[in-house]
Amino acid sequence: MTLPQHVELYEVGPREGFQSEASNIPTEDKIAFVNALSQTGLKNIEVTSFVSPKWVPQMADAEIVLAKIERVQGVAYRAAYLNLKGLERALANNVTLDGSLVLSASDAFSRRNLNKSTSEMLKALPEWIEAYQAAGIPVKQMGFMASFGCNFEGYIYLDHLLNIMGKVISLAESYGERIQKVKLADTMGWANPEQIKRTVRAIQDKWPEINIHLHLHDTRGQGLANVYAALQEGLWEFDTAVAGLGGCPFAAVKGAPGNISTEDVAFLCEEMGIDTGLNLEALVECSKMVEQIVGRELPGHLSKGGVLPGIRPQSWMQVQGS
């Protein structure tokens, strides 16, 4: 077991959380929420999504929100996009871009969410690479939705995931690009801790130079257990959402918990002596704030249980383990 010394949490609540809400979230509330998150120590905040308002009406105000938030130096403000038109909008609205090539590991989910098969999406990747290169953005990342399982297709086998990863890496290399990170999304909450470990080890054995970033959902209550399993393998980058906002609106699981909670993951890490650079009290206040915005209780735990009087010092952890 090799726990990392530092963990970086990428906040996705303003995007993935609000896009999942049935009722309209006022633009002013979105702006205020992002501004509050910017004061917590978070270095990466996914603010919105450049998608069709016909399919995701909650993101119709993307440009307005990005124009009016109070940007804090040192914070990367990000946005999601699923097609080249969305990329064009992102380029025009001052967001941090990773040059990421995104597919679904599940063909069934790809057809449902992107209206294309996985093989069709793979064939379209040269257009993405060329668009990034035209914009002067290195292609350094690949991402896979439904990496561990799918409500429409079932289990996603590791060999299949590794196969499509290899195809993307080879394609990027043919254009002179080098993939340095893979983001694996447990879009519908199928992963378990042992599966996380097996997947991480298989990728690290095959491509030791590639950093692994996890996007985990707590759909079936495995979220924090999966984080701990990943931490034991040395992973240090995770997507999270304050209060456990979010979930996938196209996953056909109504009422299930959403993404893993930012404050819960931060608390877990800090309690184990892993630095996050985050202010837990400020995150709890953001959690309470967003519950008021959406008008209901959310699944995050720390805002209900409370922050302990003091995080256990690392020396305490070392003594207990001796």
Side-chain angles (χ1 to χ4, degrees):
M1 183 176 72
T2 306
L3 295 174
Q5 294 185 336
H6 174 79
V7 159
E8 193 73 33
L9 302 186
Y10 287 59
E11 174 64 40
V12 300
R15 192 276 301 178
E16 186 155 348
F18 289 155
Q19 80 172 17
S20 301
E21 293 297 311
S23 59
N24 183 57
I25 305 296
T27 300
E28 315 85 70
D29 287 343
K30 295 179 182 179
I31 294 168
F33 182 48
V34 173
N35 289 345
L37 290 170
S38 296
Q39 302 300 320
T40 63
L42 286 162
K43 298 301 181 187
N44 292 275
I45 302 174
E46 195 168 73
V47 176
T48 188
S49 180
F50 292 113
V51 291
S52 169
K54 176 183 177 181
W55 301 112
V56 190
Q58 287 288 13
M59 299 290 104
D61 57 0
E63 281 86 355
I64 298 172
V65 173
L66 283 164
K68 293 190 175 182
I69 57 173
E70 298 172 5
R71 295 175 184 252
V72 171
Q73 187 174 4
V75 178
Y77 296 93
R78 300 174 178 273
Y81 47 89
L82 295 176
N83 55 39
L84 292 174
K85 183 177 180 180
L87 173 59
E88 290 175 6
R89 292 173 65 190
L91 288 167
N93 282 277
N94 191 22
V95 296
T96 299
L97 296 170
D98 292 312
S100 186
L101 304 175
V102 180
L103 299 171
S104 171
S106 161
D107 190 69
F109 185 69
S110 185
R111 293 176 187 276
R112 187 180 182 92
N113 193 36
L114 304 171
N115 295 316
K116 291 182 180 180
S117 68
T118 300
S119 61
E120 288 173 329
M121 291 297 294
L122 188 61
K123 290 177 182 177
L125 290 185
E127 294 181 76
W128 282 93
I129 296 173
E130 291 166 2
Y132 283 128
Q133 290 179 334
I137 301 170
V139 179
K140 296 182 178 181
Q141 180 173 303
M142 58 184 174
F144 297 93
M145 295 175 280
S147 295
F148 302 94
C150 172
N151 292 339
F152 311 105
E153 189 166 316
Y155 288 106
I156 300 299
Y157 292 95
L158 182 53
D159 286 349
H160 169 69
L161 178 64
L162 296 176
N163 181 48
I164 55 176
M165 284 181 61
K167 290 180 179 179
V168 176
I169 291 169
S170 295
L171 177 65
E173 288 176 348
S174 73
Y175 280 81
E177 302 287 351
R178 185 168 68 89
I179 299 296
Q180 299 176 26
K181 179 193 292 190
V182 59
K183 180 183 287 189
L184 302 178
D186 186 22
T187 310
M188 288 162 273
W190 279 61
N192 64 64
E194 285 303 311
Q195 186 182 17
I196 292 286
K197 290 183 176 183
R198 288 195 302 270
T199 301
V200 170
R201 289 171 186 172
I203 293 171
Q204 290 177 336
D205 286 346
K206 198 171 182 65
W207 299 289
E209 73 282 1
I210 290 182
N211 181 40
I212 303 171
H213 179 137
L214 293 183
H215 177 106
L216 301 172
H217 286 210
D218 198 34
T219 313
R220 295 171 176 85
Q222 301 298 305
L224 280 181
N226 288 335
V227 170
Y228 182 52
L231 290 171
Q232 289 179 310
E233 298 301 317
L235 268 57
W236 59 279
E237 288 186 316
F238 300 88
D239 285 351
T240 61
V242 160
L245 269 169
C248 179
F250 306 107
V253 182
K254 294 183 179 179
N259 295 64
I260 50 175
S261 163
T262 304
E263 63 272 24
D264 292 354
V265 175
F267 179 74
L268 171 70
C269 291
E270 294 286 353
E271 275 281 286
M272 295 193 300
I274 304 170
D275 173 60
T276 65
L278 300 177
N279 183 317
L280 290 174
E281 287 81 5
L283 286 173
V284 167
E285 289 306 308
C286 285
S287 177
K288 294 176 180 178
M289 176 185 187
V290 81
E291 286 189 329
Q292 291 183 336
I293 290 173
V294 301
R296 70 178 189 284
E297 185 177 283
L298 291 167
H301 293 85
L302 195 64
S303 63
K304 303 174 185 67
V307 180
L308 295 178
I311 294 294
R312 293 179 178 88
Q314 196 163 14
S315 58
W316 183 91
M317 297 292 292
Q318 292 168 347
V319 168
Q320 296 301 308
S322 62

